[in-house]
Amino acid sequence: MTKSQIADITWKDSGVPVAARFDDPYFSLEDGLAETRHVFLVGNHLPARFVPGFHVAELGFGTGLNMLATFLAWRAEGAPANVRYTSFEAFPMTAQDIAKALDTFPEAKTVSAPFLSAWAEGARRFDLDGFSVAVVEGDARQTLTNWQGRADAWFLDGFSPAKNPELWGEELMKQVGAHTAPGGTFATYTAAGFVRRALYAAGFDVERTPGFGRKRHMSRGTLRD
Ligand SMILES: C[S@@+](CC[C@H](N)C(=O)[O-])C[C@H]1O[C@@H](n2cnc3c(N)ncnc32)[C@H](O)[C@@H]1O
């Protein structure tokens, strides 16, 4: 594991956390939970694709909001067994900052307590009623290469490609493709051309679909046969 540094956070008046290192918010200033559902869940055709053993992977764990939204969707779908969520994070937030960030989302807060107490104890692998979470600390450019898993659905959630280009590069997208199961998908809020080209080169058919809120477009795709 590469060494991680704790995230340095500033706060918008609305309660949205902003990463000082990247000068970018962790989620939409409009409604982060609605954005997660639109971009990452609908973009990957979830929860309909959940089956026992399904594996979601994410670049950028941040506040865990995407993970909790996925957990809620999985539970609403009847909680198929052994669903896994693996996320890659270089700058983990403290449990206090995560709790403060999740304060704005009453729905996520109803299920956040077991996650927050595991996180505060330093656990980076924990089980939420049969939904298994693993957060791999370190720079994803190294940790993903070493990962032995393959995901059925990817959430590509780095900060904006302009501010966090290292999480959207061609080599890393190639690793995303190499760590995707047959028929697997990705979704991301960005429609930046260089990201879409890198994902195509990594083996995905890429489409541009309507974005969340004021964003005109997002991207989603499926691994080619
Ligand atoms: C937009 S935020 C993710 C929001 C998150 N998915 C959530 O639900 O709150 C982007 C995340 O990517 C992480 N990140 C940035 N560069 C990284 C890198 N090279 N490797 C791994 N994680 C990185 C940041 O620390 C941050 O937590």
Side-chain angles (χ1 to χ4, degrees):
M1 191 182 82
T2 35
K3 205 166 157 45
S4 303
Q5 296 165 41
I6 295 297
D8 187 6
I9 308 292
T10 60
W11 298 88
K12 297 264 183 206
D13 291 343
S14 59
V16 172
V18 176
R21 177 186 305 268
F22 296 99
D23 183 30
D24 214 27
Y26 278 76
F27 37 72
S28 164
L29 304 179
E30 293 172 56
D31 181 343
L33 189 51
E35 178 186 41
T36 291
R37 287 174 166 148
H38 176 88
V39 174
F40 298 110
L41 294 179
V42 176
N44 279 296
H45 301 315
L46 296 173
R49 288 173 63 216
F50 280 138
V51 287
F54 195 87
H55 200 157
V56 175
E58 173 182 60
L59 292 184
F61 184 69
T63 66
L65 181 66
N66 288 351
M67 182 276 289
L68 291 173
T70 308
F71 169 78
L72 285 166
W74 165 80
R75 215 177 51 169
E77 196 64 15
N82 192 31
V83 165
R84 284 176 291 165
Y85 191 102
T86 301
S87 188
F88 297 85
E89 176 56 61
F91 308 105
M93 291 173 69
T94 64
Q96 289 90 328
D97 282 342
I98 290 181
K100 183 171 170 183
L102 294 177
D103 252 356
T104 347
F105 302 102
E107 216 184 326
K109 261 185 89 177
T110 58
V111 293
S112 63
F115 154 50
L116 286 171
S117 58
W119 194 263
E121 284 164 14
R124 296 298 178 257
R125 283 177 179 273
F126 43 90
D127 183 82
L128 306 174
D129 301 332
F131 179 91
S132 309
V133 182
V135 178
V136 182
E137 288 192 2
D139 190 324
R141 289 170 295 179
Q142 278 101 50
T143 54
L144 179 54
T145 309
N146 298 332
W147 190 47
Q148 299 299 316
R150 282 201 304 182
D152 298 292
W154 274 98
F155 296 1
L156 304 181
D157 197 16
F159 291 117
S160 79
K163 294 184 169 169
N164 189 196
E166 59 273 27
L167 211 55
W168 302 97
E170 208 167 309
E171 191 50 41
L172 185 58
M173 295 304 104
K174 209 162 108 187
Q175 289 300 324
V176 168
H179 289 88
T180 301
T185 58
F186 79 84
T188 176
Y189 63 84
T190 184
F194 82 92
V195 174
R196 295 210 325 270
R197 285 190 292 277
L199 284 159
Y200 181 82
F204 291 96
D205 277 332
V206 180
E207 52 175 326
R208 214 164 55 160
T209 56
F212 175 78
R214 274 171 287 180
K215 288 190 185 129
R216 279 184 67 198
H217 295 119
M218 56 169 270
S219 307
R220 64 164 312 280
T222 305
L223 196 66
R224 292 190 290 277
D225 292 337

